[in-house]
Amino acid sequence: MNTLQFEQYTALELGRLIQSRQVSSPELTRAFLQRMKEGASFHAYITETAEFALQQAEAVQTRLDAGEVLSPLAGVPAAVKDNICTKGIRTTAGSKMLESFVPPYDAAVMERFAAAGSVLLGKTNLDEFAMGSTSETSYFGPVRNPWDGTRSPGGSSGGSAAAVSGGLAAWALGSDTGGSVRQPCSFCNLSGIKPTYGSLSRYGLIAYASSFDQIGTMGRDILDAAAALDLISEKPLGLASVYASDSLGNIADVSAASASAPFAGLRIGLPEDWLQGADSEVKDAVLAAAKTMEAAGAAIVPLHLPELDAAVPAYYVIACAEASSNLARYDGVRYGHRAADAKDLQDVFVTSRTEGFGPEVKRRILLGSFVLSAGHYDAYYKKALEARCRIAAAFDRAFSACDCILAPAAPTVAPQLTGTFGSQNTSAGNAASRSGSASPQDPLALYKADLYTVPANLAGIPAVSVPCGFSAEGLPIGLQLMGKAWSEPLLVRTAALWQQLTDYHKQRPLRDPAQRGHGTNAEVSERTSAAKGGAAK
Ligand code: GLN
């Protein structure tokens, strides 16, 4: 295999190449490390772990050579969002508060990551404490979208998305509190899974809003994301082994569907009035996907879900309330940033937090403290909890009429970076020289753009995002499928069938980051024509 072209392969394909001894894990790891150097301008990583990656690659190769049977992704290099604790490796959550924090323990998912023979290339950039939708609130500077370097890759798991999309990792872990796995996948033409709330341990995931926080997986296609989910799951659902097939036949066996009508028997809910919140290109792509599925045998069930109108306000009230409580632990005393010249204990608290947190985090702590305060609790927090219950009940009702719900993952394609933070690299020195006093974009507008992702977190249900088209400018559009709790096998199967019918997920951004950095018209038209080639088969 020509390792220079490895980013054209899916992670499962790379795993098979390792298993069949066509490439070794150390060879592949070195190729990815080289590619990370070439793609440094994406700012996808906060901390690169080259030496550790090579040690892990050697170790897994030894285990494979000894005949040990490991995950299908064994030896395939991956990236991990920098809010997931890694023992002995700096974990910053994208914040000055944790700029030099080295966890003394691994997150539960990282224990399984290591046991399965995975290789960690580094820790990826994110919005500070995972609060944001563009990866611009990171203390370490914004991430660039490999499809167009002037645009955001989405957030908060934007570093993980840029790494996989730009060929700087084969697959990645992210976290999804209100859409941070699904929305960056949508902006970067990847596939991602936000599993059922509680299905993966949160131990070692730096807390943002605990009743929503959920680790998820990102890959070049849905099978990669499914294999990654199996790899980190305490009780794997066998998603990889059942679905890691190139032939429709095998998948059809499982779904008991016929090859000519692979979606037969599947009831897909389509909340058409909810779709009106999306840009027309996005809406059209999702409606076209519904038509394709219908033509392939699915029954489309019209849904009316007015309860979802309350999703964004309810989410932000509850998420900020939980964040204000979770972030109280950063007091400058126990761990994290401590102000240098504090006069007394009170000043240690106040100045450490003033210096350590960026503006978006402060905004949310203030909002959260406000909605939890005695005089306002009933008016805001309690009301938001009630709305949350109504949304969960609405989903319950919907899932008696359909098997999964189709929606966009985001109302738009990737937005332009605002440039508030200018152009810089991810080095701490650079970050320290920035004031970070301005907000990257209009916060309220960004909150509202979470309308399609937060309902699944409010209800705790699983959801996946898969590519479903490109805008006129050649930017990826993502399709979301939501299902009832523990319906990951159904969602993965449906997404895998969708992939069998389409080529969107096979499109890659241009390879040369130097060319991609500025998103010239010529490149955009090149991508657009590639996109047209990627229409439904
Ligand atoms: N954009 C949402 C927020 O800012 C979701 C972030 C996330 O899922 N981590 O809260």
Side-chain angles (χ1 to χ4, degrees):
M1 174 198 168
N2 174 2
T3 47
L4 283 177
Q5 293 301 318
F6 64 88
E7 81 252 21
Q8 300 300 328
Y9 292 79
T10 67
L12 279 168
E13 285 167 349
L14 292 173
R16 285 197 281 270
L17 291 171
I18 292 175
Q19 306 280 344
S20 61
R21 302 297 186 271
Q22 293 179 64
V23 68
S24 73
S25 177
E27 265 179 277
L28 201 55
T29 302
R30 275 191 288 274
F32 271 101
L33 291 171
Q34 175 58 34
R35 183 93 186 103
M36 284 159 65
K37 288 202 182 93
E38 295 164 14
S41 64
F42 299 147
H43 305 153
Y45 288 91
I46 291 175
T47 304
E48 297 181 3
T49 54
E51 212 174 300
F52 181 63
L54 286 168
Q55 280 167 14
Q56 279 188 317
E58 295 288 353
V60 67
Q61 195 60 50
T62 307
R63 288 169 72 186
L64 289 169
D65 289 346
E68 212 178 312
V69 178
L70 296 168
S71 149
L73 294 180
V76 180
V80 171
K81 187 175 180 179
D82 205 23
N83 61 351
I84 297 176
C85 285
T86 41
K87 187 175 176 179
I89 296 168
R90 177 169 84 131
T91 301
T92 68
S95 180
K96 176 175 181 177
M97 185 58 89
L98 293 176
E99 188 176 3
S100 47
F101 173 60
V102 178
Y105 63 93
D106 264 331
V109 293
M110 292 314 293
E111 286 175 5
R112 290 195 281 275
F113 182 98
S118 299
V119 173
L120 178 70
L121 292 168
K123 304 295 296 295
T124 54
N125 205 350
L126 67 155
D127 281 300
E128 186 176 1
F129 284 100
M131 298 178 189
S133 309
T134 59
S135 298
E136 287 179 290
T137 73
S138 168
Y139 170 66
F140 299 91
V143 184
R144 293 180 186 283
N145 189 323
W147 285 80
D148 177 347
T150 67
R151 290 178 189 265
S152 161
S156 62
S157 312
S160 286
V164 178
S165 167
L168 281 50
W171 61 276
L173 292 184
S175 66
D176 191 313
T177 300
S180 284
V181 162
R182 288 161 286 157
Q183 181 254 36
C185 280
S186 168
F187 289 173
C188 293
N189 209 43
L190 301 175
S191 298
I193 306 177
K194 178 208 98 70
T196 305
Y197 176 76
S199 61
L200 294 169
S201 169
R202 275 188 294 114
Y203 179 75
L205 170 65
I206 293 178
Y208 158 22
S210 308
S211 77
F212 301 127
D213 291 344
Q214 177 64 57
I215 290 172
T217 57
M218 303 160 89
R220 300 221 170 99
D221 68 15
I222 191 66
L223 299 181
D224 279 5
L229 181 57
D230 264 345
L231 185 146
I232 55 165
S233 293
E234 208 165 331
K235 293 195 181 117
L237 296 168
L239 296 171
S241 53
V242 173
Y243 300 107
S245 151
D246 290 333
S247 80
L248 184 63
N250 283 0
I251 294 174
D253 282 351
V254 178
S255 66
S258 79
S260 60
F263 280 80
L266 200 70
R267 299 168 304 162
I268 296 178
L270 191 66
E272 274 207 53
D273 45 358
W274 194 36
L275 259 54
Q276 303 311 319
D279 279 3
S280 57
E281 284 184 310
V282 172
K283 195 172 59 191
D284 290 350
V286 171
L287 290 172
K291 284 243 168 323
T292 305
M293 293 180 185
E294 192 174 25
I300 301 294
V301 180
L303 291 177
H304 181 56
L305 298 169
E307 295 83 355
L308 298 186
D309 291 348
V312 168
Y315 168 80
Y316 275 97
V317 166
I318 299 168
C320 291
E322 293 184 14
S324 71
S325 165
N326 273 326
L327 272 61
R329 73 190 69 179
Y330 302 104
D331 55 7
V333 175
R334 285 168 288 194
Y335 62 100
H337 175 75
R338 179 184 296 192
D341 305 311
K343 313 188 281 297
D344 53 29
L345 187 60
Q346 180 68 14
D347 198 26
V348 170
F349 297 156
V350 173
T351 312
S352 301
R353 288 169 69 80
T354 303
E355 292 173 354
F357 291 137
E360 183 60 28
V361 172
K362 285 178 185 155
R363 177 170 19 251
R364 296 191 188 204
I365 292 173
L366 285 174
L367 186 62
S369 307
F370 173 78
V371 299
L372 287 177
S373 59
H376 302 286
Y377 183 95
D378 283 355
Y380 297 103
Y381 185 66
K382 193 161 163 263
K383 233 178 176 172
L385 292 182
E386 285 163 3
R388 182 179 194 173
C389 288
R390 282 198 299 275
I391 288 167
F395 276 123
D396 276 350
R397 276 197 306 278
F399 289 128
S400 62
C402 65
D403 303 305
C404 55
I405 297 175
L406 199 66
T412 63
V413 295
Q416 289 285 335
L417 289 166
T418 57
T420 310
F421 294 116
S423 144
Q424 66 273 300
N425 61 36
T426 55
S427 82
N430 248 339
S433 67
R434 279 178 289 113
S435 75
S437 59
S439 102
Q441 289 195 357
D442 170 12
L444 217 54
L446 281 180
Y447 299 170
K448 285 183 185 161
D450 287 338
L451 80 163
Y452 292 119
T453 46
V454 296
N457 302 82
L458 284 158
I461 58 176
V464 303
S465 173
V466 285
C468 76
F470 293 87
S471 69
E473 290 176 297
L475 294 164
I477 299 173
L479 179 78
Q480 186 180 197
L481 288 165
M482 289 171 271
K484 61 179 167 208
W486 311 108
S487 69
E488 282 87 342
L490 176 108
L491 294 181
V492 169
R493 186 178 75 211
T494 308
L497 289 169
W498 167 248
Q499 250 181 220
Q500 301 272 355
L501 296 177
T502 56
D503 272 348
Y504 303 117
H505 61 287
K506 293 190 177 149
Q507 307 301 319
R508 304 273 186 266
L510 293 176
R511 185 169 192 280
D512 181 358
Q515 273 181 16
R516 269 180 297 205
H518 309 289
T520 64
N521 288 340
E523 289 157 23
V524 168
S525 59
E526 190 173 328
R527 276 198 302 278
T528 312
S529 46
K532 290 197 177 120
K537 280 180 198 162

